[in-house]
C-alpha cells in the first residue's frame, strides 16, 4: 500500500488532471424521509452524540454549499459516517440510528428489542447505553486522492475517534472498543454495501444480564454517496483492514463545547513566537505507538531545530527543508512548530493513531488560541532525513 501511494516531486510535477468540484460525491448520507428522526440540538440525554460529529460552518462557493465540521478532514471530504445503537436510554426508542450530521438529528433505521447488534461485536448480553459505529466511505476520499485516499481515510478516522474521546472526557462517559469476529457480517447486518465499511466500534454503557439475539434481517441499505465510481484496489484494501481498537485514556482533556464548534484548520500563521509554557508542553507531548519529532521553526525561548522527547537534538533552521517536504505549501514557512508523526510500520491502524494524536494537538491549539493544521501531503522519501520509519502525518502549529 505504501509504495502505491507515495508522493514524489516528479509525480506531483507531472500531474495534469484537474478536479471538477461539481462531481464531488455527497459528504452526507441521507436515509429516507419516512424514517423517524430525533432532533439533537439541546436534547437532554442525546445531545452529546451530535457533538462527536457536527456541522460547524456553511458557506457558498460558486453557488454550491460548502460545509465544514467540528473535525478536520483531508480535502474537507469527510469520508466518515456514525451510527449508534441505543438501548434502554430513558425516553428514547431503543434502536439503531444513523447520525444525520447535516440535520443534527438521529435517524431511526431499525427498532430493536430482544435482538440487536451486540452479537456481531462479541457481546452476549444486551448493552444498556450506546454502541457507536464509525464507518468509512472510501469513494469520498478516493474521488480526489485515488489510492493515497486510503491513508487519509484512516487519518480522518483517527480525528473522528479523537472527537469521541473529547466528548467522552467532557461528559464523563467511559467508553471501550469492541471488535467483531467477522467485520463483513457486521457490515452486512448494518446495511453496508460495497461502498461503506465499519472501521471502529465503541461501547458506552453497561452490560445487562439479559441475553440478546442476532438481528432477524439486515437493516435497510442506503448508498452513502449520491453516486460512486469503482476503485477496486482501494476498496479491497479497506475491506481487508482490522477494526481500529485503540483507547487513549489520557486524551480529550483539552476538548470544550466552545472549541468543538470554533475549530478550524489554519491557512496562515503570524510570525509571533509561542510563550514558553505552550512550547514546552507541545515539545513534551508523546505517544506510546508513534515516533513524534517536532521541528521548531520560530521560537524565542527555545533553540530552533529538531526535538526528541522534549530535547533539542539538532539545532538549526529547517524551514526550507520542512516546507519542501510538505509539498511546498508556503503558509507552513510561518509556522512555529511542525510535528512529524512516524510509525514503526505503515498500517491503517498506525494512521488512525496518528489522526487521534493530531486531533489532540488541534484541541490543544484551540484551547490555547493557537493555529493548527494537519498536513497529509508530503514527499514520502524526503522524510528519511528525520527518521528511517514511514512518515504518516504532519501537524503545523503557529500563532493565528
Ligand atoms: C488527514 C488530513 C490531511 C490534511 N492535509 C492537509 C494538507 O496537506 N494541507 C493543508 O493545507 N490542509 C490539510 N488538511 C486540513 C484540511 O484541508 C481541512 O481540515 C479541511 O479543509 C476542512 O477545514 P477545517 O479543518 O477548517 O474544518 C488536512 C486535514 C486532514 C484531516
Amino acid at each position: 500500500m505504501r509504495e502505491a501511494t507515495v508522493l514524489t516531486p516528479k509525480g506531483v510535477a507531472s500531474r495534469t488532471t484537474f478536479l471538477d468540484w461539481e462531481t464531488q460525491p455527497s459528504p452526507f448520507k441521507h436515509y429516507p424521509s419516512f424514517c423517524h428522526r430525533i432532533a439533537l440540538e439541546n436534547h437532554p440525554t442525546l445531545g452529546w452524540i451530535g457533538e462527536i460529529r457536527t456541522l460547524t460552518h456553511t458557506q457558498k462557493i460558486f453557488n454550491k454549499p460548502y460545509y465544514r465540521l467540528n473535525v478536520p478532514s483531508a480535502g474537507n471530504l469527510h469520508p466518515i459516517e456514525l451510527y449508534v445503537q441505543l438501548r434502554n436510554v430513558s425516553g428514547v426508542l431503543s434502536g439503531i440510528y444513523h447520525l444525520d450530521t447535516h440535520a443534527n438529528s438521529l435517524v431511526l433505521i431499525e427498532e430493536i428489542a430482544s435482538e440487536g447488534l451486540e452479537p456481531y461485536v462479541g457481546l452476549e448480553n444486551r448493552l444498556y447505553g450506546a454502541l457507536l459505529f464509525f464507518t468509512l466511505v472510501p469513494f469520498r476520499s478516493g474521488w480526489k486522492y485515488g489510492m493515497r485516499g486510503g491513508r487519509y481515510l484512516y487519518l480522518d478516522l483517527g480525528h473522528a475517534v479523537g472527537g469521541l474521546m473529547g466528548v467522552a472526557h467532557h461528559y464523563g462517559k467511559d467508553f471501550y472498543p469492541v471488535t467483531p469476529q467477522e467485520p463483513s457480517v457486521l457490515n452486512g447486518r448494518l446495511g453496508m454495501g460495497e461502498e461503506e465499511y465499519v472501521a471502529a466500534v465503541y461501547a458506552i454503557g453497561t452490560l445487562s444480564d439479559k441475553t440478546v439475539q442476532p438481528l432477524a434481517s439486515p437493516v435497510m441499505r442506503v448508498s452513502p454517496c449520491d453516486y460512486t465510481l469503482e476503485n477496486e484496489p482501494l476498496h479491497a484494501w479497506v475491506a481487508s483492514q482490522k477494526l481500529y481498537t485503540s483507547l487513549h485514556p489520557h486524551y480529550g482533556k483539552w476538548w470544550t463545547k466552545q472549541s468543538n464548534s470554533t475549530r478550524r484548520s489554519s491557512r496562515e500563521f503570524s510570525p509571533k513566537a509561542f510563550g514558553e509554557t505552550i512550547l514546552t508542553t507541545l515539545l513534551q507531548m508523546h505517544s506510546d505507538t508513534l515516533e513524534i519529532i517536532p521541528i521548531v521553526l520560530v521560537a524565542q525561548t527555545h533553540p530552533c531545530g529538531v526535538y526528541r522527547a522534549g530535547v533539542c537534538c539538532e539545532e538549526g533552521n529547517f524551514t526550507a527543508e520542512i516546507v519542501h517536504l510538505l509539498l511546498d505549501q508556503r503558509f507552513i514557512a510561518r509556522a512555529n512548530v511542525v510535528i512529524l508523526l512516524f510509525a514503526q510500520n505503515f498500517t491503517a491502524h498506525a494512521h488512525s493513531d496518528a489522526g487521534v494524536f493530531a486531533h489532540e494537538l488541534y484541541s490543544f491549539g484551540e484551547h490555547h488560541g493557537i493555529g493548527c493544521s494537519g498536513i497529509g501531503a508530503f514527499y514520502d522519501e524526503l522524510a528519511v532525513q528525520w527518521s528511517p520509519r514511514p512518515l504518516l502525518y504532519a501537524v503545523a502549529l503557529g500563532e493565528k
Side-chain angles (χ1 to χ4, degrees):
M1 177 66 180
R2 183 172 181 272
E3 288 66 34
T5 61
V6 293
L7 291 178
T8 61
K10 196 170 162 219
V12 170
S14 62
R15 218 186 263 158
T16 52
T17 49
F18 291 95
L19 275 178
D20 177 358
W21 281 90
E22 283 295 319
T23 68
Q24 184 193 345
S26 157
F28 302 116
K29 180 170 181 173
H30 295 292
Y31 277 84
S33 53
F34 60 74
C35 295
H36 171 66
R37 286 165 157 77
I38 305 174
L40 288 178
E41 200 172 71
N42 303 324
H43 192 288
T45 45
L46 302 179
W48 64 273
I49 298 172
E51 290 180 48
I52 299 172
R53 201 162 178 73
T54 182
L55 193 59
T56 53
H57 187 254
T58 307
Q59 68 188 101
K60 281 223 161 151
I61 298 184
F62 297 124
N63 277 332
K64 217 183 147 192
Y66 186 79
Y67 302 106
R68 289 192 287 180
L69 306 189
N70 60 321
V71 279
S73 169
N76 198 33
L77 300 173
H78 295 289
I80 311 261
E81 294 289 338
L82 178 59
Y83 302 79
V84 56
Q85 175 183 291
L86 296 172
R87 189 192 284 287
N88 215 29
V89 177
S90 168
V92 180
L93 210 57
S94 293
I96 301 164
Y97 293 83
H98 169 244
L99 175 67
D100 182 335
T101 307
H102 185 252
N104 195 27
S105 56
L106 286 180
V107 182
L108 180 64
I109 51 182
E110 186 79 23
E111 242 183 281
I112 55 163
S114 59
E115 73 293 1
L117 290 169
E118 290 93 335
Y120 306 100
V121 292
L123 302 176
E124 285 176 8
N125 289 0
R126 297 179 205 179
L127 183 101
Y128 288 168
L131 267 177
L132 296 149
F133 301 82
F134 290 98
T135 64
L136 294 176
V137 183
F139 180 52
R140 289 192 195 144
S141 288
W143 167 77
K144 179 173 181 191
Y145 297 114
M147 281 303 281
R148 194 163 174 105
R151 302 176 179 222
Y152 301 153
L153 288 169
Y154 288 94
L155 291 171
D156 270 23
L157 176 67
H159 279 287
V161 172
L164 165 64
M165 287 172 183
V167 170
H169 186 273
H170 180 80
Y171 288 98
K173 294 188 182 292
D174 284 335
F175 69 104
Y176 55 95
V178 285
T179 42
Q181 297 293 331
E182 294 181 76
S184 60
V185 176
L186 174 63
N187 277 331
R189 289 286 123 168
L190 253 180
M192 309 295 137
E194 299 296 300
E195 300 164 47
E196 192 174 357
Y197 301 86
V198 177
V201 188
Y202 290 92
I204 295 180
T206 48
L207 262 190
S208 72
D209 53 11
K210 289 204 169 140
T211 56
V212 60
Q213 304 302 314
L215 290 180
S217 53
V219 306
M220 75 174 88
R221 179 175 298 179
V222 169
S223 178
C225 299
D226 41 356
Y227 81 105
T228 192
L229 293 173
E230 196 74 356
N231 183 338
E232 226 291 297
L234 179 61
H235 283 242
W237 187 66
V238 173
S240 67
Q241 300 308 312
K242 291 204 181 97
L243 268 70
Y244 184 61
T245 52
S246 286
L247 198 59
H248 303 274
H250 307 300
Y251 287 4
K253 64 173 182 284
W254 308 108
W255 189 98
T256 63
K257 231 170 138 67
Q258 168 69 12
S259 63
N260 195 42
S261 62
T262 53
R263 182 217 60 80
R264 288 277 71 89
S265 296
S266 291
R267 286 289 168 268
E268 57 179 345
F269 297 113
S270 87
K272 230 173 92 205
F274 287 156
E276 182 170 10
T277 318
I278 287 187
L279 188 52
T280 305
T281 312
L282 260 183
L283 296 176
Q284 284 173 350
M285 281 193 186
H286 69 282
S287 156
D288 295 339
T289 54
L290 303 166
E291 183 185 21
I292 307 294
I293 304 192
I295 319 281
V296 176
L297 306 181
V298 176
Q300 275 172 355
T301 54
H302 293 62
C304 291
V306 182
Y307 282 70
R308 285 168 200 271
V311 178
C312 183
C313 53
E314 192 182 353
E315 266 189 56
N317 180 349
F318 291 95
T319 306
E321 287 94 329
I322 283 291
V323 171
H324 182 48
L325 170 76
L326 304 176
L327 245 68
D328 296 302
Q329 300 182 68
R330 294 302 316 161
F331 76 101
I332 296 165
R334 281 166 51 123
N336 283 358
V337 184
V338 170
I339 302 187
L340 303 178
L341 311 184
F342 297 88
Q344 184 70 34
N345 296 309
F346 185 93
T347 60
H349 198 284
H351 278 82
S352 297
D353 278 347
V356 170
F357 187 85
H359 203 73
E360 193 67 2
L361 291 174
Y362 264 95
S363 300
F364 174 86
E366 206 60 38
H367 184 85
H368 291 94
I370 62 181
C372 182
S373 183
I375 306 289
F378 46 81
Y379 296 125
D380 297 80
E381 307 304 355
L382 301 187
V384 292
Q385 176 177 350
W386 290 286
S387 173
R389 297 180 170 144
L391 175 63
L392 304 187
Y393 201 16
V395 181
L397 297 118
E399 286 291 343
K400 285 183 182 169

